Amino acid sequence: MNSKLEEQPIIEVQNVSKAFGGLQVINNCSIQVAKGSVTGMIGPNGAGKSTLFNIIAGTLPEDSGQVLMEGRDITHETPDQLFHQGLLRTFQIAHEFSHMTALENLMMVPPRQEGENLFSTWLKPSLVRQQEEEVRQRALEVIDFINLGHVKNELAGNLSGGQKKLLELGRTMMTDAKVVLLDEIAAGVNRTLLVDLVKNIERLNQEMGYTFLVIEHDMDMIARLCDPVIVLAQGEVMMEGSIEEVRNNPEVVEAYFGKVD
C-alpha cells in the first residue's frame, strides 16, 4: 500500500441514511476513504455494506446525507457520470459480455470511441482504425498484466469464475480510474486465482495509484490488502482500525458470532 496518503479523503460519506419500507438499512452513516488507500469494509450479513456501496456508486438514491468525491458533491450523479470521473464499481457476480472474447470485453470499455459514431465511420475511417488499434494495444497490455493472455481469444462466457473476476478488474484499467469499489471479488474464486487477484489489486494500488474500497468476507484477503478496515453493523459504523484492532475488538466478535457466555 502507498505510505503517503493525501489528507483530503477521495471519498467521503456524510450522515447518509437509507430505509426500505420500515427497515432502516443505513442509519446516519459517515465514512472516509483516503486517497491511495485500500480500505476494507466488513460486517455481518444485513449490515448495509452493499446498500452503502450502491449509494456511493450512484445506483441507489439516499434518503438523506451526501457523498463527496475529492471534496465535490456527487450525491445525485448517475453511474455513467461517475464512470467518466473515475469512480467504478465491480460486482460479486462478474458482468462480462459472454459472447465476446476476453480481449473484446476490454476493448469495449473506453468511452467516446470514434467507431461508435456513424458519421466518423463514414468520414474519418483512418481515425477510427487508428483509435481501434490504440485501444487494442492497450487491451493487450492489460490482459497480459492480469495474466489472462492465454485466454484472450476465448469467449468470456467460457472463462472460469475467477478469470471473469480478473477480467472485470482488467476492465477498470481500460479507463482513467481513480476509485474502484470491489464487492466481494473473492466470492467463488479458487485460491490460485485469488492470489492473482490480490497481487493485481496491490499492483494497481502501488504502481498506478488506484484507491480501493473493498467489501469482503474473506478475512485473509482483508488482512493482506486493507488498512484501514471499517466495520458496519446495523447500518452504522461500529469501529475503524487495523485488521488486528478489528479482530481483537469484542464488540466486533459479538456482532459476527453472537454473545458468548
Side-chain angles (χ1 to χ4, degrees):
M1 281 168 278
N2 295 336
S3 58
K4 295 182 179 179
L5 304 181
E6 303 271 340
E7 288 189 7
Q8 182 187 59
I10 194 167
I11 295 292
E12 186 170 7
V13 175
Q14 297 181 341
N15 308 114
V16 164
S17 293
K18 180 67 180 179
F20 295 100
L23 179 63
Q24 191 72 40
V25 179
I26 303 293
N27 185 24
N28 198 36
C29 184
S30 297
I31 69 169
Q32 293 186 352
V33 179
K35 186 174 182 178
S37 72
V38 182
T39 298
M41 184 184 295
I42 67 171
N45 290 332
K49 303 182 298 296
S50 291
T51 298
L52 187 59
F53 251 42
N54 287 332
I55 291 171
I56 295 171
T59 58
L60 188 68
E62 82 301 333
D63 293 335
S64 60
Q66 61 182 171
V67 180
L68 306 179
M69 180 174 174
E70 297 180 310
R72 192 177 65 80
D73 190 348
I74 60 168
T75 310
H76 302 295
E77 297 192 8
T78 65
D80 181 63
Q81 291 171 321
L82 295 174
F83 171 86
H84 289 293
Q85 295 174 54
L87 175 61
L88 293 80
R89 185 228 169 113
T90 68
F91 293 86
Q92 184 175 359
I93 301 174
H95 292 181
E96 77 285 349
F97 297 104
S98 59
H99 297 296
M100 301 177 71
T101 67
L103 187 65
E104 289 168 341
N105 266 259
L106 296 180
M107 292 178 66
M108 286 288 293
V109 175
R112 295 185 288 272
Q113 296 187 49
E114 289 291 340
E116 298 172 359
N117 186 313
L118 182 60
F119 291 104
S120 292
T121 61
W122 288 345
L123 303 176
K124 306 175 184 177
S126 61
L127 178 61
V128 171
R129 286 193 298 271
Q130 178 185 342
Q131 188 182 65
E132 284 182 351
E133 182 57 28
E134 290 172 354
V135 170
R136 177 180 171 79
Q137 289 304 313
R138 175 61 180 157
L140 287 169
E141 292 172 4
V142 168
I143 209 161
D144 285 340
F145 184 98
I146 59 176
N147 297 322
L148 289 182
H150 60 293
V151 293
K152 65 184 177 185
N153 295 319
E154 183 68 57
L155 293 180
N158 295 337
L159 301 182
S160 71
Q163 289 171 331
K164 289 177 182 179
K165 295 289 182 71
L166 281 167
L167 184 63
E168 185 151 329
L169 189 62
R171 279 162 36 182
T172 71
M173 297 176 62
M174 296 297 295
T175 70
D176 295 323
K178 295 179 180 178
V179 184
V180 180
L181 310 180
L182 298 178
D183 190 356
E184 295 196 34
I185 198 168
V189 179
N190 68 50
R191 304 309 296 185
T192 300
L193 284 177
L194 185 57
V195 170
D196 284 342
L197 271 172
V198 169
K199 287 180 178 177
N200 277 290
I201 293 167
E202 288 176 328
R203 288 182 66 191
L204 289 171
N205 173 244
Q206 295 167 0
E207 298 175 19
M208 302 179 68
Y210 279 34
T211 299
F212 288 95
L213 179 59
V214 183
I215 289 178
E216 190 49 66
H217 285 293
D218 188 318
M219 287 298 105
D220 290 336
M221 184 174 178
I222 288 287
R224 165 81 180 264
L225 281 175
C226 300
D227 186 17
V229 178
I230 299 167
V231 184
L232 285 190
Q234 298 179 336
E236 300 178 357
V237 175
M238 174 178 288
M239 72 162 293
E240 176 180 336
S242 68
I243 188 63
E244 290 79 12
E245 292 169 330
V246 166
R247 281 173 162 165
N248 292 322
N249 187 301
E251 292 182 356
V252 174
V253 175
E254 181 178 337
Y256 267 98
F257 303 111
K259 192 170 183 179
V260 179
D261 295 326

